Amino acid sequence: MSGGTFLGMPAFPRNAAAAVQDSQLRFNLRKATHTIRGKRASVVAELPDWAELRAAGKEIKDHTLRNLDRYLLQLEEAVTAAGGHVHWAADAAEANRIVADLVKATGETSVVKVKSMATQEIGLNEALQEEGITAYETDLAELIVQLGDDWPSHILVPAIHRNRSEIREIFQEKMASYGRAAPEGLTDEPRALAEAARLHLRERFLSTKVAVSGANFMIAETGTLVVLESEGNGRMCLTLPETLISVVGIEKLLPSWRDLEVFLQLLPRSSTGERMNPYTSTWTGAVEGQEFHLVLLDNGRTRVLADEVGRQALRCIRCSACLNVCPVYERAGGHAYGSVYPGPIGAILTPQLRGMGSALDASLPYASTLCGACFDACPVAIDIPEVLVHLRGKARHPRAERLGMRAAGWVFDRPARLAGAQRLGARLRRFVPGRLPGPLAGWTDTRDIPDIPAESFRDWWDRTDGGAR
């Protein structure tokens, strides 16, 4: 499913209100996120220098973003020297057109895909379908999402909202329409489900001549791309097809192999709670018998880079650690965010990439309690609460809210005005309703109005001389 699929969805509060009524969804999310959270905490605790690694990751990313123009040109030169072809895409439409033209030039009508957030962001599958090209997802979770005609709801585990019984039903009903059917008598045991997917995908790997991937990292000094994954499907896609097309956001750059060492420690521990990834694939340019194309995707990233506060979102390495600790995500799930980037990182990345013109995108900076758990968990120290507050300040606020904030500013601007307002509130406190009227009702729908004391702290202090009398 593409990012475009989400367009037109209602704002986050409405989506979340519907999602929290789904008790099965909440159970699935709680079980999955708590399991991953526990594994992560265990392997992070093994490293006495985790704080130093985190600081190093932040510094490497910040340095790279400050010098992005120079490193991108260095990367292009290295990839080209190694026999690859580099294409520059300013937006989703241009990236989709480039990939479609490359696939059509091979004469093929299907591609296999490695799990890629960038291609989901630009809606590549749907764009290829319009050109008569079928894209087959090969990551197990992405396969479940595709077969179920569903939306991804987690960066790392896109089908986290599905349990084993639901997955078995999807395989039995839909697998035959995409290739090899599910075995007769398929159970919901993990081993049986994995075997069904393995048999289904193996035929696809052996018969498809074009693959599309993303990349976790790009090394500027050698033009090397790096993919980390857990199932081996990525290795099959990267090596078997005759043509490999990689669509990668321009922020996925690292200057050198020495920098990669830091992230090979940070990413597995923060994402899956493992000490190292089961499969780490690297390739440089074209290899014998395979043509390689790299599509460098901007799609709003340059605009994000120009924002001094918001640019830290471009440090993200898509580990999803912030999702697994977020109390809002745990209850509302990923679909409520209306983006391929759900959770806290999605709440700051999506509005910056897409803008805040729609009601959904304008509501995302408010999809947080600002508890700060996401900042503590982030392996590259993205201060997500800071960016959320920054984006809230840029959002268009309702007229009633703007008038209210202006009135509050006038009162707080002078101590005498504040004291007068407090005394007036104390006198009128018995008339304060339990629920505010009109456009202010939205504030009290989910909150209780605190009791107004008979005397302000300031008056109490003056009357008692700080409690001495």
Side-chain angles (χ1 to χ4, degrees):
M1 289 292 166
S2 72
T5 308
F6 291 106
L7 295 180
M9 286 182 67
F12 180 84
R14 187 171 161 191
N15 296 333
V20 296
Q21 302 303 316
D22 188 338
S23 59
Q24 182 65 57
L25 173 66
R26 295 204 314 274
F27 175 82
N28 294 348
L29 287 171
R30 179 177 175 80
K31 183 177 181 181
T33 56
H34 281 236
T35 299
I36 300 173
R37 191 192 307 179
K39 290 176 62 180
R40 177 190 180 277
S42 175
V43 295
V44 166
E46 294 175 350
L47 294 182
D49 61 343
W50 177 256
E52 289 77 10
L53 273 173
R54 186 175 185 245
K58 173 183 179 297
E59 289 303 318
I60 291 169
K61 279 289 186 178
D62 283 345
H63 167 80
T64 308
L65 291 172
R66 283 195 299 271
N67 300 278
L68 194 59
D69 54 343
R70 175 162 61 88
Y71 287 125
L72 281 170
L73 293 176
Q74 184 183 6
L75 174 81
E76 180 185 31
E77 184 178 345
V79 171
T80 303
H85 305 275
V86 177
H87 311 263
W88 298 81
D91 54 27
E94 186 172 12
N96 288 333
R97 179 183 55 75
I98 292 170
V99 176
D101 288 346
L102 290 171
V103 177
K104 285 192 284 188
T106 67
E108 298 296 320
T109 57
S110 64
V111 302
V112 287
K113 285 185 65 195
V114 187
K115 182 179 182 300
S116 161
M117 301 302 297
T119 59
Q120 291 180 5
E121 174 190 321
I122 62 176
L124 179 63
N125 288 12
E126 290 72 19
L128 290 178
Q129 192 171 24
E130 291 178 359
E131 299 289 339
I133 301 165
T134 305
Y136 293 97
E137 298 288 351
T138 64
D139 173 84
L140 177 56
E142 292 289 1
L143 174 67
I144 295 166
V145 169
Q146 185 175 45
L147 293 178
D149 194 23
D150 202 353
W151 299 336
S153 64
H154 191 279
I155 290 175
L156 182 69
V157 195
I160 196 172
H161 55 290
R162 297 289 194 181
N163 59 33
R164 290 186 297 171
S165 297
E166 293 173 316
I167 294 170
R168 179 178 62 86
E169 291 176 8
I170 290 171
F171 280 8
Q172 287 178 324
E173 294 175 5
K174 300 291 184 64
M175 206 170 242
S177 61
Y178 281 79
R180 180 174 177 141
E184 290 290 334
L186 179 65
T187 70
D188 63 0
E189 288 299 314
R191 183 184 295 274
L193 295 173
E195 180 64 10
R198 185 178 297 112
L199 293 173
H200 175 82
L201 290 172
R202 189 167 295 273
E203 288 188 356
R204 189 64 60 193
F205 289 133
L206 295 175
S207 62
T208 308
K209 296 182 178 179
V210 181
V212 176
S213 82
N216 296 97
F217 305 103
M218 301 183 291
I219 310 299
E221 66 178 358
T222 58
T224 303
L225 274 69
V226 184
V227 165
L228 279 67
E229 40 112 8
S230 302
E231 300 169 10
N233 66 299
R235 183 71 57 84
M236 301 285 272
C237 287
L238 297 171
T239 55
L240 289 177
E242 297 173 1
T243 301
L244 173 60
I245 305 168
S246 298
V247 182
V248 189
I250 56 176
E251 82 282 13
K252 294 296 186 68
L253 205 55
L254 297 177
S256 69
W257 280 89
R258 183 177 181 182
D259 301 316
L260 179 64
E261 179 261 346
V262 173
F263 293 95
L264 291 183
Q265 297 182 73
L266 290 173
L267 182 53
R269 283 179 163 82
S270 296
S271 58
T272 56
E274 297 172 300
R275 297 182 182 90
M276 64 180 293
N277 259 77
Y279 295 91
T280 300
S281 300
T282 66
W283 70 100
T284 304
V287 298
E288 185 178 357
Q290 188 182 64
E291 188 172 353
F292 172 60
H293 296 269
L294 171 61
V295 181
L296 292 170
L297 176 68
D298 187 318
N299 203 33
R301 286 160 174 78
T302 301
R303 185 173 59 248
V304 179
L305 190 61
D307 188 316
E308 293 185 359
V309 178
R311 71 175 56 152
Q312 57 186 304
L314 297 179
R315 287 188 216 134
C316 179
I317 56 175
R318 310 289 192 265
C319 70
S320 71
C322 60
L323 278 68
N324 300 328
V325 299
C326 176
V328 177
Y329 175 85
E330 183 181 314
R331 287 156 181 81
H335 293 162
Y337 294 82
S339 166
V340 297
Y341 301 113
I345 187 63
I348 63 171
L349 191 56
T350 302
Q352 294 193 90
L353 290 177
R354 296 200 306 215
M356 293 196 288
S358 72
L360 172 62
D361 293 327
S363 70
L364 290 178
Y366 298 90
S368 170
T369 63
L370 301 179
C371 69
C374 49
F375 175 49
D376 293 338
C378 179
V380 287
I382 300 173
D383 193 340
I384 293 177
E386 181 188 30
V387 182
L388 286 168
V389 172
H390 173 66
L391 293 177
R392 290 179 186 185
K394 298 170 72 173
R396 178 73 177 171
H397 297 271
R399 187 167 183 268
E401 183 179 343
R402 282 183 278 137
L403 290 174
M405 295 304 291
R406 192 175 301 170
W410 184 82
V411 171
F412 285 108
D413 191 47
R414 294 284 190 277
R417 293 173 188 166
L418 176 60
Q422 288 172 328
R423 291 182 188 121
L424 180 62
R427 291 193 186 100
L428 301 177
R429 62 193 181 110
R430 65 179 181 278
F431 300 111
V432 175
R435 184 172 185 271
L436 294 175
L440 300 177
W443 197 86
T444 51
D445 283 345
T446 54
R447 303 173 181 86
D448 295 325
I449 297 179
D451 292 333
I452 299 176
E455 183 179 37
S456 71
F457 175 80
R458 188 190 303 267
D459 288 343
W460 171 85
W461 184 274
D462 290 341
R463 179 173 59 79
T464 65
D465 192 19
R469 294 197 296 267

